[in-house]
Amino acid sequence: MSYTDKMLRDDALKGKVIVVTGGGSGLGKAMTKYFLELGAQVAITSRDIDKLKNTASELEAATGGTCLPLQCDVRHYEEVENMLQSVLKAFGKVDVLLNNAAGNFISPTERLSANAFDTVIDIVLKGTKNCTLAFGKHWIDSKQTSSTVLNIVTTYAWTGSAYVVPSATAKAGVLAMTRSLAVEWAKYGIRTNAIAPGPFPTKGAWDRLMPGDLAEKFDMAKKVPLQRVGDHQELANLAAYMVSDFSAYINGEVVVIDGGEWLKGAGQFNMLEAIPEELWDQLEMMIKAKKNK
Ligand code: COA
């Protein structure tokens, strides 16, 4: 067994209808593929319908599942409502909303225009709010008894992070929404959880966030105690579990999957990792000598 293996039993998501926003590429596509392999019917959404159509046919051919491409800019509530209606028309119901669509710019904050800041907030926070509100209202009105919202956040939702301030601000809001609704909507049978992935390289986001030779300069694997980046299947395994009935008692949780990355940056003495064994011998002698005086 390896962490790149598929984790759940074959029919773990059979009968479930799942919507993955931003499902046309990257991590959204990887999670969608695994959901299809586990028997779910999946609608993928983004602004780019051509990309979605290509992804849907590729994934249907690869998995034998049903993948529905739907154009939707999550920033606009009426587009989200239309998307929901199309899903209901095609599949008759929806069980899971995976809020994965995101946007991010790396930049000193003072260089961002007000519109650039808004753009990220609108996609990440307002987009997640739009989808969650529309789907939540539908589930409550139709008295559906078991449904799940899964939000993709990030570890800097609680630490904050320089140079991605709009994203950090928006993701912190999504995290607060996750925990708040987990309590408020549990009575309607709606579970609300989040995943906070560390570095999982994808073509799109990686090239945008680490352009040119930045990726080599700041080797992300070196920041991770486990000394490697994540594999897409690891994230897909976790997401599939979180939206499956196996996680029925998990509600309001944010699961970090980052090899220990954020804690490495946080612990006050973690920099002592750089001290070699011989130096530890010397330090121990010095400390003990002081004590014996
Ligand atoms: N750095 C700083 N500002 C930027 C920028 C960058 N890299 N890219 C765009 N902007 C600014 C634009 O100048 C514009 O502001 P202005 O009107 O004041 O000039 C504003 O942001 C909106 O830009 P625009 O290109 O019109 O946005 P959009 O709505 O068409 O698309 C994204 C925004 C984020 C969706 C788009 O950049 C994108 O598709 N990104 C890929 C997805 C992504 O970011 N994935 C990472 C997930 S972690």
Side-chain angles (χ1 to χ4, degrees):
M1 281 291 164
S2 133
Y3 59 81
T4 55
D5 287 340
K6 292 164 188 178
M7 185 176 81
L8 293 183
R9 65 179 70 170
D10 285 351
D11 58 354
L13 296 179
K14 198 158 188 243
K16 289 216 185 285
V17 176
I18 301 177
V19 170
V20 180
T21 67
S25 57
L27 299 180
K29 181 177 170 184
M31 291 185 279
T32 298
K33 182 167 187 227
Y34 192 41
F35 296 164
L36 291 166
E37 286 170 340
L38 292 171
Q41 294 172 301
V42 186
I44 51 175
T45 81
S46 79
R47 291 183 302 172
D48 187 344
I49 188 66
D50 292 331
K51 186 156 122 189
L52 288 173
K53 281 181 179 163
N54 285 339
T55 299
S57 353
E58 181 196 321
L59 295 185
E60 285 192 341
T63 64
T66 306
C67 185
L68 177 69
L70 290 173
Q71 189 168 34
C72 173
D73 186 336
V74 292
R75 290 175 282 193
H76 305 299
Y77 192 73
E78 60 298 344
E79 289 191 34
V80 170
E81 282 188 313
N82 290 340
M83 177 267 283
L84 171 60
Q85 290 312 317
S86 304
V87 173
L88 294 174
K89 198 168 160 214
F91 298 124
K93 62 158 188 169
V94 60
D95 303 291
V96 176
L97 167 66
L98 173 46
N99 283 308
N100 164 74
N104 202 354
F105 310 131
I106 49 160
S107 174
T109 307
E110 69 279 10
R111 292 173 65 119
L112 292 172
S113 70
N115 187 37
F117 207 120
D118 283 350
T119 299
V120 174
I121 299 274
D122 285 354
I123 297 169
V124 176
L125 181 54
K126 197 171 153 195
T128 301
K129 177 275 289 178
N130 283 342
C131 293
T132 306
L133 191 62
F135 280 58
K137 281 172 183 284
H138 162 72
W139 285 324
I140 293 165
D141 289 347
S142 63
K143 299 194 166 41
Q144 186 164 329
T145 50
S146 165
S147 44
T148 295
V149 178
L150 182 62
N151 295 324
I152 302 298
V153 294
T154 158
T155 53
Y156 60 68
W158 53 91
T159 61
S161 177
Y163 303 105
V164 284
V165 170
S167 171
T169 308
K171 293 284 191 183
V174 173
L175 181 59
M177 202 191 311
T178 306
R179 290 175 169 153
S180 307
L181 288 176
V183 174
E184 191 181 325
W185 282 357
K187 59 180 171 288
Y188 302 116
I190 303 171
R191 291 191 298 126
T192 312
N193 290 298
I195 294 177
F200 281 81
T202 59
K203 183 91 192 77
W206 218 244
D207 287 357
R208 288 171 54 80
L209 295 176
M210 291 274 147
D213 59 2
L214 269 190
E216 272 156 45
K217 228 179 214 155
F218 302 106
D219 183 354
M220 286 305 228
K222 291 212 180 93
K223 287 179 65 222
V224 179
L226 290 176
Q227 295 285 316
R228 67 171 177 87
V229 294
D231 182 89
H232 288 195
Q233 187 61 41
E234 288 178 281
L235 182 66
N237 282 341
L238 176 61
Y241 167 68
M242 295 295 285
V243 302
S244 77
D245 295 334
F246 293 117
S247 63
Y249 204 48
I250 298 183
N251 185 32
E253 185 55 83
V254 48
V255 182
V256 177
I257 177 165
D258 76 341
E261 184 205 27
W262 86 269
L263 287 168
K264 183 171 179 177
Q268 194 172 24
F269 288 94
N270 287 353
M271 76 290 190
L272 299 183
E273 184 84 11
I275 294 187
E277 204 63 28
E278 317 81 72
L279 193 50
W280 275 121
D281 291 340
Q282 290 175 27
L283 286 171
E284 191 180 332
M285 279 192 323
M286 282 159 64
I287 294 164
K288 282 185 174 164
K290 243 195 173 146
K291 205 173 109 192
N292 293 336
K293 264 188 194 163

